Amino acid sequence: SSLKRLDNDDGRTRNVYMLSDQLVIKVAKNIDGIEANKNEFECYQKVPSDLLPKVHEASNDFSWIVSNYAKRCDGFSEISDFFKINNEIFLFLMSAREYVFSFQEIVAELLDNNFEYTDEDAFFSLMRDYGISINSKKDLEAALKNSKMIQLDELIQKLNLAPYELGDYFNWGKENNGNIVIIDTGQIQ
C-alpha cells in the first residue's frame, strides 16, 4: 500500500507522509529540507521535551526523519487550553519574550516595576497592543508559575527558538494523546 501524503501547505522543503496513526516520515525535497530535518532531529536530541514531537529515527544524511504525528492546531483555543492561560496573555508573553532573556525577567520588569532590561514605554505599549492591563498581574503571575510555561521558556532558551514564531498557532500541533507540541522546530530558530 502507498503512504498517505499530508497536506503541509506549501511543502517547499519537505513532503510529509503518514506511516501510522502515530508516526510520520518527513522527506526532504531540497537542501533546505535536509537542514530542517537535521535541525528538528538535533533539537529533540538536545532537549527531549513533551513540548516537541519525538523524533524516533533519521537517515545519516537527514534526507528523512521519522517523528510523532501532530495535527496542526486550528487556532489558539487548543493552545491556551493546554497551557491553561488566556490567548492574550500567551501572545503577550511570546512577544515580550523577544525583548528579555526569560519569562522571569518579565516578572521583574512588570510585576516589580524594575525596567532594567527593556524600555518601559515600549513594554507598556506592547501590553496595550495585547489588551493586558496592570490589573492582569495575577493572571501574568499565574502564567509565569505554570509548569508548562516554565518548560516552554527553557525550550526557547536552550534551542534558541524565535518566540514571536510561537505566537503563531500555525507552529503548534496536537498529538493523538492530546499533547500540544511545537511543530517544525527546524524552521523556527
Side-chain angles (χ1 to χ4, degrees):
S1 75
S2 63
L3 298 176
K4 177 186 173 199
R5 182 176 171 196
L6 296 178
D7 175 24
N8 59 339
D9 295 312
D10 59 20
R12 290 176 302 202
T13 64
R14 303 186 284 184
N15 287 327
V16 180
Y17 301 93
M18 293 295 295
L19 292 176
S20 71
D21 64 339
Q22 303 285 324
L23 298 174
V24 293
I25 185 168
K26 298 177 180 183
V27 181
K29 295 168 77 172
N30 51 38
I31 193 77
D32 290 337
I34 288 171
E35 194 63 30
N37 280 347
K38 181 180 179 193
N39 286 343
E40 198 165 324
F41 176 80
E42 288 176 348
C43 282
Y44 189 79
Q45 295 302 307
K46 183 176 180 180
V47 187
S49 166
D50 60 1
L51 292 177
L52 299 173
K54 181 177 182 179
V55 179
H56 298 272
E57 194 175 352
S59 65
N60 290 337
D61 63 357
F62 297 104
S63 58
W64 57 264
I65 62 171
V66 174
S67 67
N68 283 3
Y69 169 64
K71 182 181 183 296
R72 194 176 303 278
C73 288
D74 295 324
F76 268 109
S77 61
E78 291 174 289
I79 299 162
S80 59
D81 288 351
F82 179 77
F83 282 100
K84 296 182 178 23
I85 64 175
N86 74 42
N87 294 347
E88 292 76 18
I89 288 184
F90 183 82
L91 292 170
F92 166 72
L93 290 173
M94 291 304 104
S95 294
R97 185 62 178 70
E98 286 292 310
Y99 303 104
V100 296
F101 183 69
S102 71
F103 289 148
Q104 294 315 308
E105 287 179 6
I106 295 172
V107 172
E109 301 275 315
L110 180 63
L111 305 179
D112 300 334
N113 276 333
N114 173 14
F115 288 88
E116 180 181 337
Y117 305 103
T118 60
D119 174 353
E120 184 174 358
D121 292 335
F123 205 83
F124 282 109
S125 175
L126 188 61
M127 286 178 64
R128 281 191 302 277
D129 290 347
Y130 287 98
I132 306 295
S133 72
I134 210 68
N135 298 332
S136 304
K137 262 185 166 182
K138 285 185 179 157
D139 292 336
L140 280 168
E141 284 179 302
L144 295 170
K145 291 177 182 171
N146 174 316
S147 64
K148 288 185 176 114
M149 289 301 291
I150 292 168
Q151 187 180 8
L152 177 59
D153 194 37
E154 289 170 358
L155 269 182
I156 290 169
Q157 288 178 39
K158 291 177 180 174
L159 299 178
N160 197 28
L161 299 177
Y164 66 90
E165 294 278 5
L166 299 177
D168 184 348
Y169 69 83
F170 199 74
N171 290 317
W172 293 89
K174 188 174 192 174
E175 294 179 322
N176 288 343
N177 65 5
N179 200 37
I180 297 291
V181 294
I182 301 167
I183 53 177
D184 279 344
T185 51
Q187 308 270 25
I188 58 173
Q189 289 182 297

